[in-house]
Amino acid sequence: MTRAIGRVNIVGIAIALLISSAGLLAYQALSLRSALTADARLQAAMVSANITASLMFHDVQATTEILRPLANVPYVESVVVFNPKGTQHARYARAGISEDEANEGTLSRAMVRDHFTLSDVFVATPVIHDGETLGTVVLVASTEGMVQELGRYAGFLIAACAGALWVSSVVTSRMKARVFAAEQELAYLANTDPLTDLPNRRAFYEALAARLRPGCNERLALILIDLDNFKIVNDTLGHGAGDELLRSVAGALRAAVRSTDVVSRIGGDEFAVLAVDDADRHGSRHTAERITTVLARSFDLHGAEVRVTASVGFSQFPGDAADVASLVSSADIALYAAKSSGKNVAVEFMPQMTTDAQRRARLERELRDAIEQDALELAYQPQYDCQTGRLVGAEALVRWTHPTDGNIAPMEFVPIAENSELILALGQWVMRRACRDAVRWNTEARNPVGVSVNVSARQLREPRFQRDVLDALNEHALPADLLELELTESLLMANMAVAVNVMKQLRAEGIRLSIDDFGTGYSSLSYLQSFPLSQLKIDRSFVKALPQAGQPIVTAIISMAHSFGLTVVAEGVEYPAQLAWLRDAGCDIVQGFLTGRPISFAEIVQVVRKADGSAAATDCRIE
Ligand code: C2E
Ligand code: CA
Ligand code: CA
């Protein structure tokens, strides 16, 4: 394109110069000719004045003498003096001219008017004395000098034009170079991710579309990669480290695939690989798994060791999809499956997943309606003091009875809500309902029983979260110390900076905070110190193994939690032997099917009343 611009420019300038030069040359020729004609007329008039007497006396000799000095006027080629009858009286011809040239003046005696040819200008002047015409002087002036003059002028014009063309070609080629560089820059920006230098989303999808053209029988695998813990790096080590990590991951990915494969960064911490020529399922699975392995390692970010893992989803062309859109959505569905199956894994797309994804999409829509229509409910699972058996609290657990599908487990719909903004509305609904219910079950209670509410990571990130919680408390006048928020380890880790801040403010209001599902996340025991927690809930999976196995770890958790001043809740207590062991191990609170399943609001009201009635008696409520 730039070359074309350059060519058009130079040709345009040359044509413009040519036209203006031709104009100047023509103008110059006209003005030189009229100057020559004026000079010739003047000479002819002078000759005519001088030869009056000699013509009158027919003295040819004298006329010839008078004409001779014309040799000093270089442009005068010949002069012929005619008498009135038209016969020649005398003539002058410049030395050295040909006979033909010398006779030109005589040939034109019939002429009455001045005229010119290419090589000569003809001027005729009458010789008049006392009103009587004595004869005519015909003067022939050569245009030779004028032509030479014009030639010089044309030479000058050519030189000037050449100079102008040279200057403009230099300017044009500079401009061309600049336009070319700008074009290159634009193409780079449009197609490249500047951070990693990889093709960006747009370039990747273009490459994908180009490969998947109809009739193409190449086998391809689309591999989507999502970093599992990128947010933690960004939040804890800053964006500089985050960028550094992305660059390192880009490098690791490039090294993990063949040079013919396309690697791209298609979003924040999302990468994509178009693996070409993966002949069989085994091939693309192998590549996807290699990527997972390669990324599950430590990266050195300016001296800080950061461990990352990646979730990988992949789909294949033409096996799983026939066009770009469905190939991408298949890989996306597989990636979702990888993330929800615990991350750090490569998952291959299976047709069944589409059905699952459709169900998720449907449930998401219907859940939105259910929240709006107040169609959800809360179940409450009682929590008992392990030593005294006293009822100390109840955990609110959301329930959804779907009009056609029946009960849908929170393990299914809560993650769906978490994957969209819906979790905010759901969380707010739960918070308000739980506060309302807790106030109701505590009316008339001498020993009020608090409520625990589960909080999702996305909620904590929401700037309004804190205000919403306080609004829910105020709306129903629930004392802050009767509300407990359950936060998961991964939630705290993923939002370290934000989390600590928000938690401190909630704690300052008197709201209690507990860490849920403890032991399933990354958290080291000691890092818990940085959070203003009141309580720790040992995950069900640890309790499940008791008392046969897992005793050392549970003992360690309990003593560590106590040393940090945290109370300990054991979740999922199903057997008396587990309860007995926990009591002996110094656990503070138990919650599980053994002591009480999640029950309706009406039922928990009864449980609270009963517990309150017998509160005076310190005997154990746990049978
Ligand atoms: P979670 O917070 O760990 O809740 C405890 C889960 O364990 C509940 O399942 C409860 O019914 C179950 N459970 C209690 N005792 C036992 C036991 O002895 N044995 C066994 N096997 N299970 C027991 P549920 O109600 O299905 O809730 C599952 C998860 O869904 C919850 O786990 C929580 O992560 C989430 N969830 C429930 N309600 C909400 C909510 O309102 N908001 C948010 N964000 N998440 C919620
Ligand atoms: Ca919980
Ligand atoms: Ca739990």
Side-chain angles (χ1 to χ4, degrees), residues 230-242 245 299 301-307 496:
F230 180 67
K231 236 191 203 76
I232 300 178
V233 175
N234 243 2
D235 284 359
T236 53
L237 299 175
H239 290 273
L245 175 62
F299 286 89
L301 308 179
H302 302 306
E305 282 280 302
V306 174
R307 251 194 83 76
M496 194 91 104

Side-chain angles (χ1 to χ4, degrees), residues 395 454 486 516-518 537-540 571:
E395 176 176 1
N454 292 289
E486 297 194 1
D516 203 358
D517 305 340
F518 184 80
K537 298 184 81 175
I538 304 174
D539 191 64
R540 225 165 45 224
E571 281 193 288

Side-chain angles (χ1 to χ4, degrees), residues 377-379 381 395-399 408-415 418 423 426-427 429-431 452-457 459 486 488 516-517 537 539-540 543-544 571-575 578 591-598:
E377 269 172 303
L378 287 185
Q381 185 172 33
E395 176 176 1
L397 294 162
V398 67
R399 294 289 176 261
I408 298 180
M411 288 304 248
E412 180 174 13
F413 71 83
V414 169
E418 279 173 337
I423 190 63
L426 176 70
W429 182 89
V430 171
M431 190 70 65
S452 304
V453 174
N454 292 289
V455 172
S456 290
Q459 286 175 270
E486 297 194 1
T488 59
D516 203 358
D517 305 340
K537 298 184 81 175
D539 191 64
R540 225 165 45 224
V543 175
K544 199 174 172 168
E571 281 193 288
V573 180
E574 295 182 355
Y575 304 104
Q578 292 170 332
Q591 174 184 352
F593 290 174
L594 176 70
T595 52
R597 289 184 175 260

